[in-house]
Amino acid sequence: MTGSGTDRTRKAVQAPAPAIILVEPQMAENIGMCARAMANFGLSEMRLVAPRDGWTTGSGLKEAATTTASGAGHILDNATLYPTTAEAISDLHHVLATTARERGQMKRVMTPAEAMPPIAQRVGSGERVGILFGRERIGLTNEEISFADAILTFPVDPAFASLNLAQAVLLAGYEWIKATGGEPPFREHNLSPPATRATVLSMFDYVESELDICGFFPPGKKQVMTANLRDILHRLAMTEQEARTLRGVFKSLTEGPRRLRVPKPVEDE
Amino acid sequence: MTGSGTDRTRKAVQAPAPAIILVEPQMAENIGMCARAMANFGLSEMRLVAPRDGWTTGSGLKEAATTTASGAGHILDNATLYPTTAEAISDLHHVLATTARERGQMKRVMTPAEAMPPIAQRVGSGERVGILFGRERIGLTNEEISFADAILTFPVDPAFASLNLAQAVLLAGYEWIKATGGEPPFREHNLSPPATRATVLSMFDYVESELDICGFFPPGKKQVMTANLRDILHRLAMTEQEARTLRGVFKSLTEGPRRLRVPKPVEDE
């Protein structure tokens, strides 16, 4: 049983990843926000078990979900629909069940950070994995939890433990992308290489000789003040470019306002 | 400048944690969801820089935010209001700026997982830390980013990199609680200790002798079939309780329906 609008050819281009299974979700907004959270982290397969208000193209529910999905409507279009949780997981090899409170079942409990590395291994070796998320207020039934290999739960402040459905999906997705080598969208591309010690020491020599000319060092204090100043500047762990920029700053201050500058006949310009 | 309703005595009971600074947030719903995400992970100090629609008690904005905060209204009540980002960070010692795209600044870039352990150390040694989150559509200005010690960004699917404001706050909070020893709300309290090998081997002996009586093993196959069966059962890594449960299952199957059971005069009942 699949939702209308399902386009299985689109699924084929996605890298294998766990299916997100929403059991009897009640609010369209939550379904949409789950889709957005999934798209953020490379999850694409949503399964819906008996949404409270149905799930047909053109229905108000699907329209509202598409609005909150903020561009992740393709996940909603591809979502598959099942009448029961048992049917939604029948083709899977490994299943996790999320719950925010203890259920008295003798079942292993994992956080997303613990669960996702071994799940990435399972998915990588061809297993199909799914994660069950329960109804907004009452979660999964004990029988649905008994379908799972392990319980997934989240480290939260015990004084305020209620996670929104989409936020639980978001954290699972976030740890999934971390476990599968997800990288931030950019790194410090613009950083020039670290300054060589020669560049840094040459800047020090320049500053210290100018400070000497300005009479900055009280008698007998030059050695200790120079050491302190070098310690401050070393701590910057400058790049080559930054060392040159700072040297330019000191030089400009030394020379004063350009309009007042007296040409120095010997120094190179 | 503080928001009305600020109650500084309530802040005092909170463990030190980074301040979440929302710069010119536009939508009340997002402010409320940020408060909820903060409460989930033990963050309590929200600072608001010039919310687009103001921020006064009884205003529609604050009411709407309180609704989506789902019980984290105390964070909104304690939120402090600032006219500019510079004023919002003036008392802090260390500042991160979140951005989803490269800004051409020569600044260190960290993920939440990288940033939070050293920030937990800073906070633990008494530094006040804040994290800047920008406007919903356009983020932080380049000047605001220049106020920060480092950039915070998130590992996302490059094809769908747009994180909702509250979700970015959620991920920062999640890594904060992980870095400060956050634990899931429960573990496997109900698990009995692992089964001793004596319990497991005694169960094997029982099953194998009963299978022998039933004629389960074809001639010459008993040794290899027994080894296979033991391998399956060992893989369960059973608890003491589970080993006893399984033995009970095998015994019940051996004895058949209770109503047909022939009393055995010698064996203990």
Side-chain angles (χ1 to χ4, degrees), chain A residues 97 99 101-103 105-112 114-115 149-154, chain B residues 184-189 191:
Chain A
T99 168
R101 53 184 202 284
E102 181 150 27
R103 301 305 194 88
Q105 297 200 17
M106 290 184 289
K107 194 176 280 298
R108 270 66 184 171
V109 174
M110 308 180 92
T111 65
E114 292 162 352
D149 295 281
I151 283 175
L152 186 69
T153 194
F154 302 90
Chain B
F186 58 92
R187 287 284 188 183
E188 306 88 340
H189 302 303
L191 286 190

Side-chain angles (χ1 to χ4, degrees), chain B residues 82 87 110 115 137 142 147 150 162 165 180 200 203 255 264:
Chain B
Y82 299 85
E87 287 165 276
M110 308 179 92
R137 297 220 172 272
N142 284 340
F147 293 156
S162 152
L165 176 58
T180 52
V200 174
M203 184 186 75
E255 295 175 349
K264 296 184 187 175

Side-chain angles (χ1 to χ4, degrees), chain B:
Chain B
M1 193 176 193
T2 59
S4 46
T6 299
D7 176 357
R8 294 194 177 281
T9 61
R10 291 183 68 173
K11 256 189 213 162
V13 303
Q14 297 283 348
I20 298 298
I21 306 161
L22 307 183
V23 178
E24 295 187 16
Q26 303 196 350
M27 295 173 64
E29 293 74 11
N30 284 339
I31 301 173
M33 286 170 62
C34 286
R36 179 178 180 173
M38 290 171 61
N40 283 140
F41 299 113
L43 301 173
S44 60
E45 185 178 357
M46 175 184 277
R47 301 182 179 197
L48 298 172
V49 178
R52 187 183 60 177
D53 299 325
W55 186 257
T56 50
T57 300
S59 76
L61 185 76
K62 197 163 178 183
E63 297 305 310
T66 302
T67 302
T68 55
S70 291
H74 58 287
I75 288 177
L76 300 175
D77 293 338
N78 288 342
T80 49
L81 194 63
Y82 299 85
T84 66
T85 302
E87 287 165 276
I89 62 173
S90 64
D91 64 321
L92 302 180
H93 304 110
H94 190 78
V95 176
L96 298 186
T98 51
T99 168
R101 53 185 202 283
E102 182 149 28
R103 300 306 192 89
Q105 297 199 19
M106 289 185 289
K107 192 177 283 297
R108 269 66 184 173
V109 174
M110 308 179 92
T111 65
E114 292 161 353
M116 287 304 164
I119 283 188
Q121 280 196 312
R122 287 180 183 276
V123 171
S125 64
E127 288 190 36
R128 304 190 69 173
V129 176
I131 309 174
L132 293 167
F133 292 83
R135 301 149 190 87
E136 279 93 339
R137 297 220 172 272
I138 57 172
L140 296 166
T141 65
N142 284 340
E143 191 200 20
E144 285 160 348
I145 291 174
S146 80
F147 293 156
D149 295 281
I151 283 176
L152 186 69
T153 195
F154 302 90
V156 286
D157 184 343
F160 199 88
S162 152
L163 270 183
N164 166 274
L165 176 58
Q167 293 181 329
V169 170
L170 184 88
L171 294 180
Y174 170 71
E175 290 290 0
W176 163 256
I177 208 169
K178 281 173 67 182
T180 52
E183 277 293 311
F186 58 92
R187 287 284 188 183
E188 306 88 340
H189 302 303
N190 289 337
L191 286 190
S192 89
T196 62
R197 203 41 56 112
T199 305
V200 174
L201 292 182
S202 144
M203 184 186 75
F204 287 171
D205 284 342
Y206 172 76
V207 174
E208 290 157 13
S209 67
E210 291 294 337
L211 288 173
D212 235 355
I213 293 167
C214 297
F216 177 76
F217 301 112
K221 293 284 190 186
K222 181 176 177 185
Q223 198 175 3
V224 64
M225 289 176 75
T226 297
N228 285 346
L229 183 61
R230 289 183 171 205
D231 187 55
I232 293 170
L233 294 172
H234 271 311
R235 234 182 300 144
L236 294 173
M238 281 173 282
T239 66
E240 193 71 20
Q241 177 61 51
E242 288 166 345
R244 281 199 293 269
T245 299
L246 267 190
R247 188 192 178 108
V249 166
F250 292 132
K251 187 157 186 286
S252 177
L253 293 173
T254 302
E255 295 175 349
R258 282 184 192 272
R259 66 180 187 283
L260 301 180
R261 201 173 296 166
V262 179
K264 296 184 187 175
V266 180
E267 202 172 298
D268 63 355
E269 185 65 24

Side-chain angles (χ1 to χ4, degrees), chain A residues 7-189:
Chain A
D7 176 359
R8 294 195 177 279
T9 61
R10 293 182 68 173
K11 256 190 214 162
V13 302
Q14 298 284 349
I20 298 298
I21 307 160
L22 306 183
V23 178
E24 295 187 16
Q26 303 195 351
M27 296 173 64
E29 293 74 12
N30 285 339
I31 301 173
M33 287 171 62
C34 287
R36 179 177 179 175
M38 289 171 62
N40 283 140
F41 300 112
L43 300 173
S44 60
E45 185 179 357
M46 176 183 277
R47 301 182 178 196
L48 298 172
V49 178
R52 186 184 60 176
D53 299 325
W55 187 257
T56 51
T57 300
S59 76
L61 185 78
K62 196 163 178 182
E63 296 304 312
T66 302
T67 302
T68 56
S70 290
H74 59 287
I75 288 178
L76 299 175
D77 292 338
N78 287 343
T80 48
L81 194 62
Y82 299 85
T84 65
T85 301
E87 286 164 276
I89 62 173
S90 65
D91 63 322
L92 302 179
H93 305 109
H94 190 77
V95 176
L96 297 187
T98 52
T99 168
R101 53 184 202 284
E102 181 150 27
R103 301 305 194 88
Q105 297 200 17
M106 290 184 289
K107 194 176 280 298
R108 270 66 184 171
V109 174
M110 308 180 92
T111 65
E114 292 162 352
M116 287 304 164
I119 283 188
Q121 280 196 312
R122 286 179 184 276
V123 170
S125 65
E127 289 190 36
R128 305 189 71 174
V129 175
I131 309 176
L132 292 168
F133 293 84
R135 301 150 188 88
E136 280 94 338
R137 298 219 171 271
I138 56 171
L140 296 167
T141 65
N142 285 338
E143 190 198 20
E144 285 160 348
I145 291 174
S146 81
F147 294 156
D149 295 281
I151 283 175
L152 186 69
T153 194
F154 302 90
V156 286
D157 184 342
F160 199 88
S162 151
L163 272 182
N164 166 274
L165 176 58
Q167 293 181 328
V169 170
L170 184 87
L171 294 179
Y174 170 71
E175 291 289 359
W176 164 256
I177 208 171
K178 281 174 67 183
T180 52
E183 277 294 311
F186 58 92
R187 285 285 188 184
E188 306 88 339
H189 300 303

